[in-house]
Amino acid sequence: AQSVSQHNHHVILSEAASLELGCNYSYGGTVNLFWYVQYPGQHLQLLLKYFSGDPLVKGIKGFEAEFIKSKFSFNLRKPSVQWSDTAEYFCAVLDGIQGAQKLVFGQGTRLTINP
Amino acid sequence: SQTIHQWPATLVQPVGSPLSLECTVEGTSNPNLYWYRQAAGRGLQLLFYSVGIGQISSEVPQNLSASRPQDRQFILSSKKLLLSDSGFYLCGGTGQNEQFFGPGTRLTVL
């Protein structure tokens, strides 16, 4: 079964700094990858997803992620963060066969942006 | 649009008490449904998933059970809570090729 590792547990940045959050999944083949965000007190929301095609994926709120197959990675990036980006970020991979698939999440990265 | 309702948002229960968390789905039929838990400092761990009424798969052995009495209802239960059951419980679903989630329940067992 797939597993997902997020290397940064808590990241603290100042506004306008650049962001990169690491995500690695355990084995190759066809993968469907996701980044989710949970703002304080809110539902988990989809930021972006990769199924196939261009390995550089653009998401909402200025986020992007790059799928690098050779590195089993799907790192999340944003060139200039804002205070409102303070949230918990989860990387996930879809595991299993069609009809019985499930999302496998990483342990999450808490991002704190100081104004 | 697809929506998941979960309640309550927070819950404090004594050790040894029973638990029942309910998750209901709107906007799609025959979804795959999931219960996740996030313990303090840990990721979202899949506890149970269901591909249909009465069909439950357990991912990890534990003190909890799940049931799906109706297509759009998924219940997480325990007969006797342990301290280690504290955490954030999230119900999720897959329908129409999209994954969607409820707001979660933060459970504290004292």
Side-chain angles (χ1 to χ4, degrees):
Chain A
Q2 282 276 13
S3 63
V4 178
S5 295
Q6 290 181 244
H7 319 296
N8 317 104
H9 297 294
H10 189 192
V11 173
I12 302 173
L13 295 172
S14 299
E15 276 193 310
S18 65
L19 170 72
E20 181 159 2
L21 301 182
C23 172
N24 287 90
Y25 58 95
S26 56
Y27 64 84
T30 302
V31 285
N32 297 335
L33 295 157
F34 306 80
W35 274 99
Y36 287 89
V37 61
Q38 188 167 32
Y39 297 104
Q42 295 189 28
H43 291 217
L44 208 62
Q45 297 176 39
L46 181 66
L47 270 180
L48 47 81
K49 60 185 177 184
Y50 171 79
F51 278 27
S52 63
D54 189 344
L56 186 61
V57 181
K58 303 279 187 192
I60 60 170
K61 307 189 182 191
F63 286 92
E64 64 179 31
E66 186 174 12
F67 169 58
I68 303 180
K69 191 172 182 178
S70 60
K71 295 184 178 180
F72 297 89
S73 71
F74 190 56
N75 291 357
L76 181 71
R77 300 196 292 245
K78 186 170 183 178
S80 176
V81 294
Q82 301 170 302
W83 177 78
S84 57
D85 292 323
T86 295
E88 188 142 20
Y89 292 80
F90 294 94
C91 182
V93 63
L94 205 57
D95 191 28
I97 59 172
Q98 187 73 24
Q101 290 175 311
K102 46 193 183 279
L103 274 177
V104 176
F105 286 90
Q107 58 267 60
T109 297
R110 187 154 60 100
L111 176 64
T112 301
I113 305 299
N114 293 323
Chain B
S1 63
Q2 298 151 131
T3 306
I4 290 184
H5 300 282
Q6 269 186 264
W7 61 91
T10 59
L11 186 61
V12 180
Q13 292 282 108
V15 168
S17 63
L19 173 74
S20 181
L21 297 180
E22 187 168 337
C23 162
T24 58
V25 179
E26 286 182 5
T28 189
S29 57
N30 198 30
N32 290 350
L33 295 174
Y34 311 88
W35 276 110
Y36 292 91
R37 175 175 61 200
Q38 185 182 25
R42 307 284 296 274
L44 279 164
Q45 181 186 35
L46 181 63
L47 300 177
F48 300 97
Y49 73 95
S50 170
V51 299
I53 296 173
Q55 299 178 65
I56 309 293
S57 296
S58 173
E59 289 294 298
V60 293
Q62 61 207 304
N63 183 43
L64 302 166
S65 61
S67 61
R68 187 163 176 183
Q70 300 178 44
D71 180 49
R72 299 179 190 184
Q73 186 183 29
F74 200 28
I75 299 171
L76 183 70
S77 305
S78 173
K79 291 182 181 177
K80 286 187 179 182
L81 283 168
L82 306 172
L83 286 174
S84 57
D85 291 324
S86 293
F88 180 72
Y89 289 83
L90 187 67
C91 180
T94 303
Q96 300 166 16
N97 295 320
E98 291 286 331
Q99 287 78 35
F100 51 105
F101 298 92
T105 296
R106 187 158 300 281
L107 171 66
T108 303
V109 182
L110 300 174

